[in-house]
Amino acid sequence: MMAGMTDTPHPLYDRHAETLHRALTAITERGYWSAYPESPSPRVYGETAAADGKAAFEAYLGGDFPLDQPTDGDRVATETSPFGVALNVSYPHATADQLVTAAAAALPAWRDAGPQARVGVCLEILDRLHKHVFELANAVQFTSGQAFVMAFQAGGAHALDRALEALAYSYAEMTRHPATASWEKAAGKGDPLRMSKTFHVVPRGVALVIGCNTFPTWNSYPGLFASLVTGNPVVVKPHPRAVLPLAVTVRYAREVLAEAGFDPNLVLLAPEAPDEKLASTLALHPAVKIVDFTGSTEYGDWLEANARQAAVYTEKAGLNTVVVDSTDDFAGMCRNLGFTLTLYSGQMCTTSQNILIPRDGIDTDQGHKSFDEVAGGIAAAVGKLTADPARGVELTGAIVNDGVLERLDEVTKVGEPVLESRTVAHPAFPEAVVRTPAIVKLDAGDTATYSREWFGPISFAIATDSTAHSLEILRATVGEMGALTAGIYSTDEAVLNAAEQAAIEAGVHLSANLTGGVFVNQSAAFSDFHGSGANAAANSALTDGAYVANRFRIVQSRRHV
């Protein structure tokens, strides 16, 4: 069967049609909706789900990961847990040519199955992953350094929501036009010209997903599932320090594909040996036509410049900025920003780094606050959240790599400390490296310091001449370096409007006056866009039509009737 825009319903499509249709409605309405409960409570998932998931995770440790796919006979084990837990999981290694050849061979039957079959199979994969969400969460926790609840939510439920969102956008784009059309044009006194036309959804080719260490599933799932559902086989190249979450993902994806009668090599794991540079080899392979990447600006820029044969989607680094003008809830503002800076020790691509405050202070519900009082209020909120190690580590998690520690050491040599980073002993994992956030006071003239990204638990309270000056800095720094998030605190509607205009010009998503349970560094699938593609921090958005539509092309055929 040749695939058009619509095709014969598939059993897996029928099984999950309600979920798909609800997701299609959600991306249109942009309200709150989630298909996968974010609470790991036994009341939601059952009394044994957590223990079963942990046992499944522990069964992988110290052994050969069960993955039957092409291999050159070698195995690789590169992961080190930020919590100090011995992982020692080995994975089957394959060359770039082996992976790409196997993936390409699987493409024709998957392409010809059509959009409904593909989306049905992909929805079944998500359902299978959801059944193993505790297993997945443990894998995310112990490779990324996230605390368990965050790993369950961001690495499990929210990652699945983002995948479903990508499926919904992809299905909408693939079915935007009819599969067939009858064309008739008058031709004077003779018979009209009549043609039948068929429109085929044609995938671009082999897709490559390059995973990151901090959010191995949340950042990888949108690209993985957008490429797969649009007909492209996917090679998943995990970060060497976070292989297991994506290995689990690939395992269950391959299981579902095989059960559905498709070649499981539609999804392949590409673990790399130390210093192999497999990602670069794959990214430049002539058969690789799509690349998704989350990580450093340097490597993202390299991919954009060099993987010329592929459509490249990147999420890189940026200077996430908050402008503080005034507030009618000073305590709430400080609590909210304190939580933002503390969560996962700031190891999120959306965490605020630069907090711009007028040097003459701000007006609040508690009276006028000086610059030092504002910075001190935020620091006090962080201190309160991290004062009790047993509770604090459930927010901070562990430090993911030595680069973060190096930046924490470097930042002690710049500016004046408002809050110094502390080393905390993790009650459950004594070998874990835990550091609390550092806040450093700078002046607006210290551009060499705050105009670069300091990934990790590092932020700057920056004294500016005025709120207008703060907005100028936002425009300049985000305009040059990019950002994924921006925030504004003000009781003045004119200031809020000016901040929104600045954000539009800089192409960055803006949050205003967050004082409650919504935080600038968190985004909700089906409602919030992650990244805009409108500044240097990312060339695409998770998830919109532009993110999925270029993963396939429309090829038509026509015949006279």
Side-chain angles (χ1 to χ4, degrees):
M1 178 183 70
M2 294 304 292
M5 296 302 174
T6 58
D7 42 16
T8 304
H10 187 276
L12 290 178
Y13 176 88
D14 294 339
R15 181 183 299 177
H16 299 291
E18 183 178 349
T19 299
L20 174 64
H21 293 155
R22 186 64 188 87
L24 288 167
T25 300
I27 63 173
T28 301
E29 294 178 344
R30 312 305 298 181
Y32 172 75
W33 181 69
S34 172
Y36 307 101
E38 68 177 3
S39 170
S41 168
R43 293 189 298 273
V44 178
Y45 284 95
E47 293 296 329
T48 67
D52 292 345
K54 185 177 182 181
F57 159 74
E58 291 175 342
Y60 293 128
L61 305 184
D64 293 344
F65 189 85
L67 200 62
D68 182 17
Q69 66 172 46
T71 176
D72 59 7
D74 292 335
R75 299 190 73 87
V76 295
T78 55
E79 293 163 299
T80 302
S81 173
F83 288 105
V85 174
L87 300 176
N88 300 323
V89 186
S90 72
Y91 305 92
H93 182 268
T95 67
D97 282 339
Q98 284 178 310
L99 294 164
V100 171
T101 299
L107 187 151
W110 185 241
R111 174 198 63 209
D112 295 345
Q116 284 200 349
R118 291 197 298 269
V119 79
V121 172
C122 287
L123 286 164
E124 179 70 11
I125 294 172
L126 296 189
D127 185 68
R128 187 72 52 88
L129 289 170
H130 189 222
K131 287 180 170 64
H132 294 271
V133 68
F134 281 91
E135 175 184 337
L136 195 62
N138 277 275
V140 171
Q141 176 185 7
F142 287 103
T143 55
S144 71
Q146 296 175 29
F148 176 77
V149 172
M150 184 177 185
F152 184 90
Q153 293 179 341
H158 297 171
L160 292 170
D161 273 335
R162 281 297 187 191
L164 178 56
E165 182 182 42
L167 293 184
Y169 272 101
S170 299
Y171 188 75
E173 292 295 334
M174 286 190 292
T175 58
R176 179 182 294 276
H177 309 290
T180 61
S182 297
W183 184 86
E184 183 173 310
K185 179 182 179 181
K189 296 181 180 180
D191 291 337
L193 299 172
R194 296 187 180 93
M195 302 197 81
S196 65
K197 302 185 180 185
T198 304
F199 305 96
H200 303 283
V201 174
V202 178
R204 293 182 69 97
V206 177
L208 171 65
V209 172
I210 303 173
C212 66
N213 193 173
T214 48
F215 290 89
T217 54
W218 196 96
N219 279 111
S220 295
Y221 278 14
L224 194 169
F225 285 94
S227 286
L228 187 62
V229 78
T230 51
N232 308 277
V234 184
V235 176
V236 180
K237 211 299 292 183
H239 191 283
R241 296 173 65 102
V243 182
L244 188 55
L246 291 176
V248 170
T249 302
V250 169
R251 176 189 180 185
Y252 291 120
R254 290 174 62 85
E255 185 180 276
V256 170
L257 286 162
E259 291 171 4
F262 293 101
D263 188 338
N265 289 334
L266 286 163
V267 181
L268 292 153
L269 189 73
E272 65 176 324
D275 301 319
E276 183 183 5
K277 302 189 185 304
L278 182 58
S280 298
T281 303
L282 285 165
L284 300 184
H285 196 290
V288 170
K289 301 300 182 182
I290 302 169
V291 177
D292 284 277
F293 167 75
T294 299
S296 71
T297 296
E298 181 181 12
Y299 192 63
D301 289 345
W302 183 89
L303 287 169
E304 292 172 9
N306 291 280
R308 307 298 297 175
Q309 84 291 350
V312 178
Y313 302 87
T314 61
E315 182 203 306
K316 300 173 287 189
L319 304 179
N320 302 317
T321 302
V322 174
V323 173
V324 180
D325 169 74
S326 55
T327 180
D328 58 7
D329 184 0
F330 182 74
M333 180 188 77
C334 291
R335 282 195 306 269
N336 191 279
L337 287 173
F339 185 90
T340 293
L341 303 184
T342 303
L343 187 63
Y344 190 28
S345 299
Q347 298 170 119
M348 301 173 67
C349 57
T350 50
T351 299
S352 305
Q353 173 180 298
N354 295 337
I355 304 173
L356 304 170
I357 308 163
R359 66 179 79 256
D360 292 335
I362 66 170
D363 291 331
T364 79
D365 57 317
Q366 299 179 16
H368 189 81
K369 295 285 186 178
S370 69
F371 172 89
D372 287 339
E373 287 175 319
V374 176
I378 299 168
V382 172
K384 185 175 182 179
L385 289 169
T386 58
D388 178 359
R391 296 179 60 186
V393 295
E394 296 307 313
L395 291 178
T396 63
I399 298 299
V400 72
N401 59 46
D402 290 341
V404 175
L405 296 176
E406 290 167 3
R407 285 186 289 275
L408 277 168
D409 181 63
E410 182 184 359
V411 82
T412 62
K413 303 174 179 63
V414 302
E416 178 185 338
V418 180
L419 181 67
E420 295 183 342
S421 178
R422 295 182 295 111
T423 298
V424 175
H426 197 297
F429 302 104
E431 295 184 33
V433 178
V434 180
R435 296 289 297 271
T436 61
I439 302 175
V440 174
K441 191 190 317 182
L442 295 177
D443 187 82
D446 297 322
T447 53
T449 300
Y450 66 76
S451 62
R452 53 169 278 212
E453 187 194 28
W454 296 69
F455 183 78
I458 298 168
S459 58
F460 301 107
I462 303 168
T464 68
D465 296 340
S466 63
T467 296
H469 187 205
S470 297
L471 292 175
E472 289 176 13
I473 292 173
L474 184 150
R475 281 189 179 90
T477 55
V478 176
E480 180 180 357
M481 300 296 295
L484 295 175
T485 64
I488 175 69
Y489 286 90
S490 181
T491 58
D492 187 332
E493 192 65 27
V495 171
L496 294 174
N497 290 337
E500 186 159 351
Q501 186 61 42
I504 291 169
E505 293 170 6
V508 62
H509 302 311
L510 179 69
S511 298
N513 293 327
L514 299 184
T515 56
V518 176
F519 305 94
V520 70
N521 53 337
Q522 296 176 318
S523 63
F526 306 105
S527 184
D528 295 323
F529 293 106
H530 173 76
S532 66
N535 67 58
N539 71 0
S540 56
L542 304 182
T543 304
D544 61 6
Y547 184 71
V548 303
N550 200 31
R551 296 172 191 262
F552 67 92
R553 309 311 302 170
I554 304 300
V555 177
Q556 72 172 48
S557 64
R558 57 185 182 175
R559 300 180 184 181
H560 280 294
V561 176

